[in-house]
PDB file of all heavy atoms in Angstrom:
ATOM      1  N   GLU I 166     -38.150 -46.093  40.120  1.00  0.00           N
ATOM      2  CA  GLU I 166     -38.459 -46.587  38.791  1.00  0.00           C
ATOM      3  C   GLU I 166     -38.489 -48.109  38.730  1.00  0.00           C
ATOM      4  O   GLU I 166     -39.237 -48.707  37.981  1.00  0.00           O
ATOM      5  CB  GLU I 166     -37.443 -46.046  37.771  1.00  0.00           C
ATOM      6  CG  GLU I 166     -37.825 -44.679  37.259  1.00  0.00           C
ATOM      7  CD  GLU I 166     -36.593 -43.946  36.810  1.00  0.00           C
ATOM      8  OE1 GLU I 166     -35.583 -44.616  36.513  1.00  0.00           O
ATOM      9  OE2 GLU I 166     -36.642 -42.726  36.770  1.00  0.00           O
ATOM     10  N   ALA I 169     -41.936 -48.878  39.969  1.00  0.00           N
ATOM     11  CA  ALA I 169     -43.020 -48.462  39.078  1.00  0.00           C
ATOM     12  C   ALA I 169     -42.588 -48.615  37.634  1.00  0.00           C
ATOM     13  O   ALA I 169     -41.619 -47.999  37.201  1.00  0.00           O
ATOM     14  CB  ALA I 169     -43.390 -47.004  39.355  1.00  0.00           C
ATOM     15  N   THR I 170     -43.270 -49.417  36.874  1.00  0.00           N
ATOM     16  CA  THR I 170     -42.932 -49.598  35.463  1.00  0.00           C
ATOM     17  C   THR I 170     -43.689 -48.562  34.634  1.00  0.00           C
ATOM     18  O   THR I 170     -44.919 -48.587  34.548  1.00  0.00           O
ATOM     19  CB  THR I 170     -43.318 -51.005  34.991  1.00  0.00           C
ATOM     20  OG1 THR I 170     -44.659 -51.241  35.396  1.00  0.00           O
ATOM     21  CG2 THR I 170     -42.380 -52.046  35.587  1.00  0.00           C
ATOM     22  N   ALA I 171     -42.968 -47.664  34.056  1.00  0.00           N
ATOM     23  CA  ALA I 171     -43.588 -46.573  33.288  1.00  0.00           C
ATOM     24  C   ALA I 171     -43.844 -47.027  31.855  1.00  0.00           C
ATOM     25  O   ALA I 171     -43.237 -47.975  31.376  1.00  0.00           O
ATOM     26  CB  ALA I 171     -42.637 -45.365  33.266  1.00  0.00           C
ATOM     27  N   PRO I 172     -44.763 -46.346  31.178  1.00  0.00           N
ATOM     28  CA  PRO I 172     -45.043 -46.708  29.788  1.00  0.00           C
ATOM     29  C   PRO I 172     -43.819 -46.468  28.878  1.00  0.00           C
ATOM     30  O   PRO I 172     -43.046 -45.540  29.090  1.00  0.00           O
ATOM     31  CB  PRO I 172     -46.183 -45.764  29.405  1.00  0.00           C
ATOM     32  CG  PRO I 172     -46.160 -44.665  30.406  1.00  0.00           C
ATOM     33  CD  PRO I 172     -45.605 -45.258  31.661  1.00  0.00           C
ATOM     34  N   VAL I 175     -43.376 -42.958  26.729  1.00  0.00           N
ATOM     35  CA  VAL I 175     -42.722 -41.783  27.327  1.00  0.00           C
ATOM     36  C   VAL I 175     -41.234 -41.808  27.037  1.00  0.00           C
ATOM     37  O   VAL I 175     -40.631 -40.816  26.652  1.00  0.00           O
ATOM     38  CB  VAL I 175     -42.977 -41.760  28.846  1.00  0.00           C
ATOM     39  CG1 VAL I 175     -42.262 -40.573  29.484  1.00  0.00           C
ATOM     40  CG2 VAL I 175     -44.459 -41.717  29.120  1.00  0.00           C
ATOM     41  N   LYS I 179     -38.919 -39.161  24.946  1.00  0.00           N
ATOM     42  CA  LYS I 179     -37.824 -38.471  25.621  1.00  0.00           C
ATOM     43  C   LYS I 179     -36.467 -38.687  24.959  1.00  0.00           C
ATOM     44  O   LYS I 179     -35.521 -37.956  25.240  1.00  0.00           O
ATOM     45  CB  LYS I 179     -37.739 -38.940  27.063  1.00  0.00           C
ATOM     46  CG  LYS I 179     -38.741 -38.245  27.952  1.00  0.00           C
ATOM     47  CD  LYS I 179     -38.402 -38.535  29.369  1.00  0.00           C
ATOM     48  CE  LYS I 179     -38.655 -37.333  30.243  1.00  0.00           C
ATOM     49  NZ  LYS I 179     -38.012 -37.522  31.536  1.00  0.00           N
ATOM     50  N   ARG I 217     -37.495 -46.125  31.672  1.00  0.00           N
ATOM     51  CA  ARG I 217     -38.620 -46.359  32.577  1.00  0.00           C
ATOM     52  C   ARG I 217     -38.811 -45.169  33.512  1.00  0.00           C
ATOM     53  O   ARG I 217     -39.051 -45.311  34.692  1.00  0.00           O
ATOM     54  CB  ARG I 217     -38.360 -47.621  33.396  1.00  0.00           C
ATOM     55  CG  ARG I 217     -38.697 -48.881  32.639  1.00  0.00           C
ATOM     56  CD  ARG I 217     -38.107 -50.058  33.363  1.00  0.00           C
ATOM     57  NE  ARG I 217     -36.812 -50.409  32.810  1.00  0.00           N
ATOM     58  CZ  ARG I 217     -35.833 -50.959  33.510  1.00  0.00           C
ATOM     59  NH1 ARG I 217     -35.977 -51.172  34.797  1.00  0.00           N
ATOM     60  NH2 ARG I 217     -34.703 -51.284  32.934  1.00  0.00           N
ATOM     61  N   LYS I 218     -38.622 -43.958  32.993  1.00  0.00           N
ATOM     62  CA  LYS I 218     -38.657 -42.776  33.859  1.00  0.00           C
ATOM     63  C   LYS I 218     -40.085 -42.341  34.167  1.00  0.00           C
ATOM     64  O   LYS I 218     -40.986 -42.519  33.341  1.00  0.00           O
ATOM     65  CB  LYS I 218     -37.928 -41.616  33.215  1.00  0.00           C
ATOM     66  CG  LYS I 218     -37.002 -40.976  34.231  1.00  0.00           C
ATOM     67  CD  LYS I 218     -35.920 -40.166  33.581  1.00  0.00           C
ATOM     68  CE  LYS I 218     -34.624 -40.411  34.281  1.00  0.00           C
ATOM     69  NZ  LYS I 218     -33.552 -39.651  33.685  1.00  0.00           N
ATOM     70  N   VAL I 219     -40.212 -41.700  35.342  1.00  0.00           N
ATOM     71  CA  VAL I 219     -41.535 -41.239  35.764  1.00  0.00           C
ATOM     72  C   VAL I 219     -41.783 -39.855  35.173  1.00  0.00           C
ATOM     73  O   VAL I 219     -40.877 -39.028  35.138  1.00  0.00           O
ATOM     74  CB  VAL I 219     -41.602 -41.147  37.315  1.00  0.00           C
ATOM     75  CG1 VAL I 219     -43.039 -40.950  37.768  1.00  0.00           C
ATOM     76  CG2 VAL I 219     -41.000 -42.401  37.914  1.00  0.00           C
ATOM     77  N   PRO I 220     -42.999 -39.560  34.712  1.00  0.00           N
ATOM     78  CA  PRO I 220     -43.299 -38.262  34.134  1.00  0.00           C
ATOM     79  C   PRO I 220     -43.094 -37.101  35.092  1.00  0.00           C
ATOM     80  O   PRO I 220     -42.959 -35.981  34.658  1.00  0.00           O
ATOM     81  CB  PRO I 220     -44.786 -38.367  33.763  1.00  0.00           C
ATOM     82  CG  PRO I 220     -45.152 -39.794  33.850  1.00  0.00           C
ATOM     83  CD  PRO I 220     -44.086 -40.529  34.557  1.00  0.00           C
ATOM     84  N   LEU I 221     -43.074 -37.318  36.386  1.00  0.00           N
ATOM     85  CA  LEU I 221     -42.876 -36.240  37.352  1.00  0.00           C
ATOM     86  C   LEU I 221     -41.555 -35.508  37.106  1.00  0.00           C
ATOM     87  O   LEU I 221     -41.458 -34.299  37.204  1.00  0.00           O
ATOM     88  CB  LEU I 221     -42.875 -36.820  38.769  1.00  0.00           C
ATOM     89  CG  LEU I 221     -44.232 -36.831  39.488  1.00  0.00           C
ATOM     90  CD1 LEU I 221     -44.067 -37.492  40.855  1.00  0.00           C
ATOM     91  CD2 LEU I 221     -44.762 -35.409  39.651  1.00  0.00           C
ATOM     92  N   VAL I 222     -40.522 -36.272  36.804  1.00  0.00           N
ATOM     93  CA  VAL I 222     -39.194 -35.683  36.595  1.00  0.00           C
ATOM     94  C   VAL I 222     -39.196 -34.808  35.357  1.00  0.00           C
ATOM     95  O   VAL I 222     -38.433 -33.862  35.237  1.00  0.00           O
ATOM     96  CB  VAL I 222     -38.142 -36.793  36.456  1.00  0.00           C
ATOM     97  CG1 VAL I 222     -36.739 -36.225  36.553  1.00  0.00           C
ATOM     98  CG2 VAL I 222     -38.369 -37.848  37.525  1.00  0.00           C
ATOM     99  N   LYS I 223     -40.068 -35.104  34.454  1.00  0.00           N
ATOM    100  CA  LYS I 223     -40.079 -34.463  33.137  1.00  0.00           C
ATOM    101  C   LYS I 223     -40.160 -32.946  33.243  1.00  0.00           C
ATOM    102  O   LYS I 223     -39.397 -32.215  32.620  1.00  0.00           O
ATOM    103  CB  LYS I 223     -41.272 -35.007  32.353  1.00  0.00           C
ATOM    104  CG  LYS I 223     -41.114 -34.870  30.845  1.00  0.00           C
ATOM    105  CD  LYS I 223     -42.324 -35.453  30.172  1.00  0.00           C
ATOM    106  CE  LYS I 223     -42.344 -35.114  28.694  1.00  0.00           C
ATOM    107  NZ  LYS I 223     -43.552 -35.631  28.074  1.00  0.00           N
ATOM    108  N   LYS I 224     -41.098 -32.423  34.071  1.00  0.00           N
ATOM    109  CA  LYS I 224     -41.317 -30.977  34.165  1.00  0.00           C
ATOM    110  C   LYS I 224     -40.056 -30.277  34.631  1.00  0.00           C
ATOM    111  O   LYS I 224     -39.598 -29.286  34.063  1.00  0.00           O
ATOM    112  CB  LYS I 224     -42.460 -30.677  35.125  1.00  0.00           C
ATOM    113  CG  LYS I 224     -43.808 -30.852  34.460  1.00  0.00           C
ATOM    114  CD  LYS I 224     -44.903 -30.492  35.437  1.00  0.00           C
ATOM    115  CE  LYS I 224     -46.259 -30.826  34.828  1.00  0.00           C
ATOM    116  NZ  LYS I 224     -47.344 -30.625  35.807  1.00  0.00           N
ATOM    117  N   LYS I 225     -39.481 -30.798  35.721  1.00  0.00           N
ATOM    118  CA  LYS I 225     -38.263 -30.186  36.243  1.00  0.00           C
ATOM    119  C   LYS I 225     -37.169 -30.242  35.203  1.00  0.00           C
ATOM    120  O   LYS I 225     -36.379 -29.328  35.038  1.00  0.00           O
ATOM    121  CB  LYS I 225     -37.820 -30.923  37.509  1.00  0.00           C
ATOM    122  CG  LYS I 225     -38.686 -30.563  38.706  1.00  0.00           C
ATOM    123  CD  LYS I 225     -38.319 -31.395  39.882  1.00  0.00           C
ATOM    124  CE  LYS I 225     -39.321 -31.200  41.011  1.00  0.00           C
ATOM    125  NZ  LYS I 225     -39.105 -32.142  42.106  1.00  0.00           N
ATOM    126  N   LYS I 226     -37.144 -31.352  34.516  1.00  0.00           N
ATOM    127  CA  LYS I 226     -36.096 -31.536  33.503  1.00  0.00           C
ATOM    128  C   LYS I 226     -36.181 -30.490  32.400  1.00  0.00           C
ATOM    129  O   LYS I 226     -35.181 -30.041  31.886  1.00  0.00           O
ATOM    130  CB  LYS I 226     -36.190 -32.939  32.911  1.00  0.00           C
ATOM    131  CG  LYS I 226     -35.369 -33.931  33.697  1.00  0.00           C
ATOM    132  CD  LYS I 226     -34.576 -34.789  32.769  1.00  0.00           C
ATOM    133  CE  LYS I 226     -33.423 -35.437  33.510  1.00  0.00           C
ATOM    134  NZ  LYS I 226     -32.658 -36.289  32.637  1.00  0.00           N
ATOM    135  N   TYR I 227     -37.426 -30.110  32.059  1.00  0.00           N
ATOM    136  CA  TYR I 227     -37.580 -29.118  30.985  1.00  0.00           C
ATOM    137  C   TYR I 227     -36.828 -27.841  31.305  1.00  0.00           C
ATOM    138  O   TYR I 227     -36.086 -27.312  30.476  1.00  0.00           O
ATOM    139  CB  TYR I 227     -39.066 -28.820  30.759  1.00  0.00           C
ATOM    140  CG  TYR I 227     -39.638 -29.608  29.618  1.00  0.00           C
ATOM    141  CD1 TYR I 227     -40.647 -30.538  29.848  1.00  0.00           C
ATOM    142  CD2 TYR I 227     -39.146 -29.464  28.323  1.00  0.00           C
ATOM    143  CE1 TYR I 227     -41.157 -31.283  28.816  1.00  0.00           C
ATOM    144  CE2 TYR I 227     -39.652 -30.208  27.295  1.00  0.00           C
ATOM    145  CZ  TYR I 227     -40.660 -31.126  27.530  1.00  0.00           C
ATOM    146  OH  TYR I 227     -41.159 -31.877  26.516  1.00  0.00           O
TER     147      TYR I 227
END
Side-chain angles (χ1 to χ4, degrees):
Chain I
E166 275 154 22
T170 50
V175 178
K179 279 192 143 194
R217 279 166 265 150
K218 227 160 222 180
V219 192
L221 267 178
V222 193
K223 203 179 169 183
K224 279 182 187 174
K225 285 174 189 172
K226 271 226 161 179
Y227 263 117

